[in-house]
Amino acid sequence: MPPNRLDELGESTTLLEVRARLRSHRWAPELDIFERSPGVVRRLDAGLDAPEGLDTGDGPYVVLVEGPLRTTGHLHLWTDDYLPGLVIVRGDLEARTLSFGNGARVFVEGSVRVEGELFGQYGDRNAALVATGVIQARATFLETTAGMYAEGGVQSLVYSPLGLYESLVPDIENEGVGDGVHSFDPSVLDAYGDLDFRKAIQAAREGRPLFLPGIEERFPLRLTLRATR
């Protein structure tokens, strides 16, 4: 069964109504970019439980979830051609695996808990996952142009470029120099020996291992909450 389209669920609404619901909320300015072309605007008044996974369209879209957002499948928050997309969750967000990228910006008024792996890529620094609580995942994989921030800290093994955060040093550096052969299963590497995000996301969705045996255990800090800013 194909995943549900998050930007087709709930009720159709207007940007004006979403602004009224957020009022002076600190995330309300995120709506400004949609003034000329809001695209799809939806609201889900009671939160959402989706056992078969969730996807989004190409954008632009604005989705306001008035409650928790949960799926026992994969949550894929994306746009095409760097079109803007905005998802605001006024509760916790939970998923088995999660990927976000391109123009998708995800703001969670609560915590993000991912049972498996979490991925962020592309976006030209527009792609972002932000939580007022904690972000927890078995492992997090970020490219240079995707950001992730949690006021309560991050509890995860982190694969990201150096300097992505001021205060969180990656456990494994994503510098694109062929070092992936020392950490990752060969099935998720590209021809240069670096992590291939497309292959890695597919492996995570299928429950296949991304790391070589024993690699995750080398990083005990993955089990602690670490600050981002």
Side-chain angles (χ1 to χ4, degrees), residues 24-107:
S24 59
H25 197 286
R26 58 178 170 166
W27 294 336
E30 291 288 332
L31 297 168
D32 293 349
I33 194 173
F34 298 93
E35 284 295 346
R36 290 188 178 181
S37 179
V40 174
V41 184
R42 311 287 293 188
R43 74 171 193 274
L44 290 82
D45 286 335
L48 179 65
D49 279 284
E52 57 281 298
L54 289 165
D55 205 338
T56 56
D58 294 338
Y61 57 77
V62 175
V63 180
L64 176 63
V65 183
E66 293 276 20
L69 174 61
R70 302 186 182 97
T71 176
T72 55
H74 182 71
L75 178 59
H76 183 65
L77 304 172
W78 213 258
T79 67
D80 191 33
D81 291 333
Y82 298 95
L83 291 169
L86 176 63
V87 177
I88 296 177
V89 180
R90 308 197 76 174
D92 292 338
L93 186 156
E94 299 177 6
R96 186 173 64 81
T97 51
L98 188 156
S99 57
F100 68 96
N102 283 347
R105 297 174 66 78
V106 186
F107 293 83

